[in-house]
Amino acid sequence: SQALGKRGYRVVLVEQSRQLGGRAAKEARLPGLSAWIRVVDYRESQLRQLKNVEHYFESRMTADEVLTYDFDHVAVATGSTWRRDGVGRWHTHPMTVGEGMEVLTPDDILGGVRPRGRRVVLYDDDHYYLGGVLAELLVDEGYEVVLVTPASVVSEWTVNTLEQHRIQRRLLEMGVELLLSTAVVRASAAGVTLANVFTGLEADIAADSLVVVTARLPNEKLVFDLEARRDEWGPAGLSSVRAVGDAWAPGTIAAAVWEGHRYAEELDTEVDPDSTPFRREVARLSVDP
């Protein structure tokens, strides 16, 4: 909306909640991530200066409403939802979860839901920052947390951001029990069954609740609903519908910001879909004789 507004488009920003920012605003409330609110604050301040951008809060947009209004283009930035069935990098099919075991996702925790009981198994098959941050949050609130991950270290991908050592040290200092190279294979009221990723050897541990940080699915219903009614676009004056950010492919907050900016840059322009939409620096190496 900010980039489109600066290009001179008249923009109608429809927000489902009372606050702009999506997942960035929610995750900024987690331990150690307060600086992320700048992602939201900067854009809100810029939007307030744009008279051609309208805001509508607590509004859920449907295909019927889109086709009723006189929109030329629709960008669907409805985000994504964390999976509850355990499917991620390790599990390609849903895990077996019996009656009596509570399964929560990051969306639940960010929405204010808390595990029942005190002993929580947190299964991190996402391998970025969120699993470790949620473990820290729950420990701060008095829960006993066992972090289980198929990787050989916690938050494995943060090796690339030079944060992994500090994350694992922080969790150990807080008393989080780390079970590495281990996958959750099933759960029931009796607890959680784990398996070593190398040997397959299984073991059962007690748990009151299971928090799964695995994969996400795009919230793409609005896009599909509109695509199914493409024959109505012309009479409604609608030229294009496109999912952006996590609604297209769940990724990082930085990737969602970049894709939103790219959408604004490319709107009403001729773009080769096979071209690289950014410049690449090609380093030339020379060796002295």
Side-chain angles (χ1 to χ4, degrees):
S1 295
Q2 173 203 343
L4 286 168
K6 287 185 175 181
R7 283 195 62 193
Y9 286 91
R10 181 186 173 192
V11 181
V12 177
L13 177 56
V14 182
E15 169 60 44
Q16 179 176 314
S17 68
R18 295 185 180 183
Q19 179 184 19
L20 298 178
R23 58 182 281 219
K26 294 178 181 178
E27 293 184 16
R29 299 196 297 265
L30 295 172
L33 303 185
S34 60
W36 290 20
I37 199 61
R38 291 179 298 179
V39 175
V40 182
D41 289 345
Y42 169 73
R43 285 162 181 81
E44 282 189 324
S45 67
Q46 294 294 301
L47 288 172
R48 283 194 292 269
Q49 301 173 43
L50 297 173
K51 303 302 182 183
N52 53 324
V53 179
E54 302 176 57
H55 305 82
Y56 292 92
F57 293 94
E58 296 185 282
S59 301
R60 185 182 292 272
M61 185 66 72
T62 66
D64 285 335
E65 290 176 297
V66 169
L67 294 170
T68 299
Y69 297 113
D70 188 25
F71 295 142
D72 298 314
H73 305 279
V74 174
V76 180
T78 46
S80 61
T81 300
W82 287 93
R83 298 188 67 135
R84 196 179 301 274
D85 56 9
V87 171
R89 288 172 171 81
W90 185 257
H91 289 294
T92 57
H93 294 81
M95 295 188 305
T96 300
V97 179
E99 293 289 336
M101 173 54 69
E102 177 187 52
V103 180
L104 301 178
T105 70
D107 291 322
D108 295 324
I109 303 299
L110 290 169
V113 178
R114 291 296 180 266
R116 68 188 184 196
R118 306 314 299 171
R119 182 171 169 84
V120 178
V121 170
L122 190 152
Y123 180 48
D124 183 11
D125 198 23
D126 173 61
H127 308 295
Y128 197 16
Y129 61 89
L130 195 57
V133 170
L134 291 180
E136 183 175 344
L137 172 71
L138 293 173
V139 170
D140 280 341
E141 295 183 355
Y143 292 91
E144 177 187 348
V145 178
V146 180
L147 192 154
V148 179
T149 178
S152 58
V153 294
V154 300
S155 302
E156 182 181 47
W157 200 86
T158 61
V159 168
N160 301 300
T161 58
L162 306 180
E163 299 169 288
Q164 195 284 323
H165 179 79
R166 287 182 291 170
I167 291 171
Q168 186 150 337
R169 181 181 63 192
R170 173 67 171 164
L171 293 175
L172 289 170
E173 290 173 346
M174 296 185 71
V176 177
E177 182 180 352
L178 306 181
L179 298 181
L180 310 176
S181 302
T182 304
V184 173
V185 292
R186 57 185 173 273
S188 67
V192 174
T193 300
L194 310 176
N196 183 279
V197 299
F198 295 106
T199 66
L201 186 65
E202 295 186 357
D204 296 323
I205 63 172
D208 299 311
S209 299
L210 173 64
V211 177
V212 288
V213 187
T214 53
R216 286 178 287 158
L217 293 172
N219 298 328
E220 53 196 359
K221 183 179 184 303
L222 180 56
V223 175
F224 286 161
D225 288 348
L226 287 169
E227 287 289 348
R229 299 171 63 175
R230 183 179 281 267
D231 58 334
E232 300 177 46
W233 290 13
L238 183 60
S239 300
S240 71
V241 174
R242 177 175 160 184
V244 297
D246 287 346
W248 173 250
T252 64
I253 291 174
V257 170
W258 151 245
E259 189 172 347
H261 188 78
R262 177 185 173 187
Y263 173 85
E265 284 187 338
E266 296 179 353
L267 190 63
D268 287 333
T269 62
E270 294 293 331
V271 178
D272 180 0
D274 295 323
S275 66
T276 302
F278 49 84
R279 294 181 179 179
R280 286 181 174 172
E281 179 181 4
V282 180
R284 180 178 180 180
L285 303 179
S286 61
V287 180
D288 294 333

